[in-house]
Amino acid sequence: CIRDRALTAANAAWAFFRAHPNKGLHGDTLGLMGLIFTAQLNYKNAEAAYKKQKAFEARQNQPRYAVIYNNLGLLYRTQGKYQLAVEHYSKAISLASKDAVSSQSIAAFKSNLAEAEARLGFTKQSIDTALESLTLYKHQLDASVADGRTDTSTLRKNLRDDVLRLVSQVYEQLQTRANSENQSAINN
């Protein structure tokens, strides 16, 4: 299947890179390998690929660190290291304007941040961040429609996913509050 061939190719590229470190790989290739290793739950190689991508980008005229920090956030979230994920997503967002990242990517970074914040129990902060993400997606969708673009399916899907996540977070917050109030009533 295609997935297996992609994983085999990524592993071969990684083996080549480790055997010939001076040959180098393009930053995007390293980032892709990081994503593939994350999907494989091979966290050690994923983190190494992202760090090598960061070193590669540092040598470029216009480094693109925001995406690397977002991907490291994804890696740490996958491992359950939510505080590290929050730190990396926040750094991605702060670097996004400097790196000339699209507002759609910034919306995705904020969506990722909101999910990690929710996992840490920062409910209000998570909801605020999710609303910022929704606002960015909505502006993108409005701009696409105004420009006459007909293929807005990705934006609509991202907007829908974030709305569902936000509703779920609000529900969990209300349920936690109700459980807490019920427990207090029982104890009194």
Side-chain angles (χ1 to χ4, degrees):
C1 93
I2 293 174
R3 179 181 174 274
D4 292 336
R5 285 185 280 173
L7 293 175
T8 300
N11 286 322
W14 187 248
F16 175 83
F17 179 74
R18 294 186 78 194
H20 310 298
N22 295 330
K23 297 279 186 194
L25 288 173
H26 190 273
D28 289 339
T29 304
L30 288 164
L32 231 122
M33 290 169 62
L35 290 170
I36 290 169
F37 286 135
T38 299
Q40 289 179 311
L41 307 180
N42 184 341
Y43 303 130
K44 182 179 175 185
N45 281 348
E47 189 168 22
Y50 291 134
K51 287 181 178 181
K52 289 183 186 305
Q53 182 186 20
K54 195 165 34 167
F56 174 87
E57 290 293 336
R59 296 188 302 268
Q60 304 307 305
N61 289 336
Q62 296 180 329
R64 298 169 297 150
Y65 293 121
V67 172
I68 298 168
Y69 278 96
N70 180 68
N71 289 345
L72 279 164
L74 291 170
L75 170 67
Y76 295 133
R77 188 182 76 201
T78 302
Q79 295 177 61
K81 298 177 181 177
Y82 301 115
Q83 186 58 47
L84 273 173
V86 165
E87 292 168 16
H88 282 79
Y89 292 140
S90 297
K91 182 78 171 176
I93 292 165
S94 71
L95 292 170
S97 61
K98 180 181 172 190
D99 288 1
V101 173
S102 73
S103 60
Q104 186 173 352
S105 292
I106 295 170
F109 297 170
K110 287 185 182 251
S111 176
N112 293 338
L113 175 60
E115 186 173 332
E117 289 170 338
R119 297 284 183 162
L120 287 171
F122 304 151
T123 309
K124 168 122 178 48
Q125 190 174 346
S126 172
I127 290 170
D128 290 346
T129 305
L131 287 171
E132 290 173 18
S133 174
L134 288 171
T135 301
L136 286 170
Y137 279 131
K138 184 177 180 321
H139 288 314
Q140 278 290 107
L141 188 58
D142 291 346
S144 294
V145 170
D147 290 346
R149 286 184 253 156
T150 56
D151 185 17
T152 57
S153 58
T154 300
L155 284 169
R156 286 194 320 266
K157 180 193 177 303
N158 292 343
L159 188 59
R160 182 185 65 240
D161 290 350
D162 273 10
V163 166
L164 290 173
R165 184 177 301 126
L166 179 61
V167 168
S168 174
Q169 288 170 359
V170 169
Y171 174 76
E172 287 174 19
Q173 181 184 19
L174 292 173
Q175 190 173 27
T176 301
R177 186 178 298 155
N179 289 342
S180 176
E181 290 171 1
N182 287 341
Q183 189 63 38
S184 292
I186 291 171
N187 292 337
N188 291 331

